[in-house]
């Protein structure tokens, strides 16, 4: 009997076990989520006492900032849970509180959720800048060149998302070999 099947089998087992090297990265994402919570709470406590003296534009910018942080946290959770389940191990959670999408987001779905979140976050930043245009006390002063690049980058994200969706749609339509 040859040693190759045993050696090959051991190699494949080691290769398969290497997926656990990703686990510390997902733990790091949990720490990152905690950091976002701290920043969100800091922003909330900074702006809450000012609510009675804010202009409508200032309040909209404040809300957009909080939404931006919330979207980033949602994105982090999606990457954390679906990445762990797709690449490391299934989460054995028996809670009735488990979101419906958990266990159902494959790599393609993860890409789409990722690009959609990036487009939303980019759009919020762009909206903040647009709201400050022409205001001397704007929190987001920009030059025409900077604004142009922000729009180009945002459109690049949008086009990338559309192209990714198109590729996924085409891949779903083709016969599997």
């Amino acid at each position: 009997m040859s040693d190759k099947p045993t050696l090959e089998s051991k190699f494949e087992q080691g290769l398969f076990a290497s997926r656990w090297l990703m686990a510390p990265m997902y733990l790091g994402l949990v720490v990152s989520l905690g950091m976002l919570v701290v920043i969100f709470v800091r922003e909330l406590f900074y702006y809450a006492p000012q609510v009675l003296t804010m202009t409508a534009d200032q309040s909209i910018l404040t809300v957009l900032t909080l939404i931006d942080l919330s979207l980033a946290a949602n994105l982090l959770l999606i990457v954390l849970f679906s990445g762990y389940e797709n690449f490391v191990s299934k989460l054995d959670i028996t809670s009735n509180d488990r979101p419906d999408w958990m266990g159902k987001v494959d790599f393609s779905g993860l890409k789409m959720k990722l690009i959609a979140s990036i487009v939303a976050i980019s759009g919020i930043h762009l909206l903040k800048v647009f709201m400050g245009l022409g205001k001397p006390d704007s929190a987001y002063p920009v030059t025409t060149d900077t604004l142009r690049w922000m729009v180009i980058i945002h459109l690049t994200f949008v086009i990338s998302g559309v192209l990714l969706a198109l590729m996924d749609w085409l891949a779903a339509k083709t016969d599997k070999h």
Side-chain angles (χ1 to χ4, degrees), residues 29 32-33 35-37 39-40 64-80 113-114 116-118 120-122 124-125:
L29 291 179
S32 298
L33 186 60
M35 292 166 43
L36 276 177
V37 169
I39 293 167
F40 183 93
L64 288 174
T65 298
L66 296 175
I67 289 171
D68 196 21
L69 289 168
S70 176
L71 285 172
N74 289 340
L75 173 62
L76 199 50
L77 273 181
I78 291 169
V79 171
L80 178 66
K113 288 182 182 312
L114 180 66
S117 295
I118 289 170
I121 290 167
S122 171
I124 288 172
H125 281 283

Side-chain angles (χ1 to χ4, degrees), residues 1-15:
M1 183 170 219
S2 169
D3 284 327
K4 184 175 179 189
T6 304
L7 181 62
E8 184 177 350
S9 174
K10 293 292 182 193
F11 175 74
E12 289 173 356
Q13 288 173 356
L15 204 57

Side-chain angles (χ1 to χ4, degrees), residues 25-58:
M25 293 181 192
Y26 292 112
L27 189 57
L29 291 179
V30 172
V31 172
S32 298
L33 186 60
M35 292 166 43
L36 276 177
V37 169
V38 169
I39 293 167
F40 183 93
V41 170
R42 184 191 68 203
E43 293 290 313
L44 187 62
F45 284 140
Y46 176 79
Y47 288 112
Q50 302 175 33
V51 74
L52 295 176
T53 59
M54 281 183 181
T55 65
D57 284 354
Q58 289 170 329

Side-chain angles (χ1 to χ4, degrees), residues 24 29 91 115:
L29 291 179
L91 291 169
I115 194 70

Side-chain angles (χ1 to χ4, degrees), residues 84-176:
Y84 183 85
E85 283 203 331
N86 280 312
F87 302 113
V88 180
S89 180
K90 293 290 178 200
L91 291 169
D92 190 19
I93 307 294
T94 56
S95 170
N96 292 338
D97 212 16
R98 183 181 170 111
D100 287 338
W101 61 266
M102 280 185 65
K104 297 176 186 165
V105 178
D106 60 1
F107 185 66
S108 177
L110 181 59
K111 284 187 309 188
M112 293 312 300
K113 288 182 182 312
L114 180 66
I115 194 70
S117 295
I118 289 170
V119 167
I121 290 167
S122 171
I124 288 172
H125 281 283
L126 201 52
L127 183 57
K128 286 180 185 178
V129 170
F130 284 157
M131 289 183 67
L133 288 178
K135 296 180 182 165
D137 61 339
S138 174
Y140 302 97
V142 294
T143 64
T144 305
D145 198 43
T146 301
L147 185 61
R148 181 181 309 112
W149 278 109
M150 287 180 76
V151 170
I152 289 169
I153 291 168
H154 178 71
L155 289 175
T156 302
F157 289 148
V158 170
I159 292 167
S160 297
V162 170
L163 290 175
L164 279 173
L166 179 63
M167 286 187 300
D168 284 349
W169 181 76
L170 288 173
K173 292 285 186 192
T174 60
D175 292 330
K176 304 291 183 215

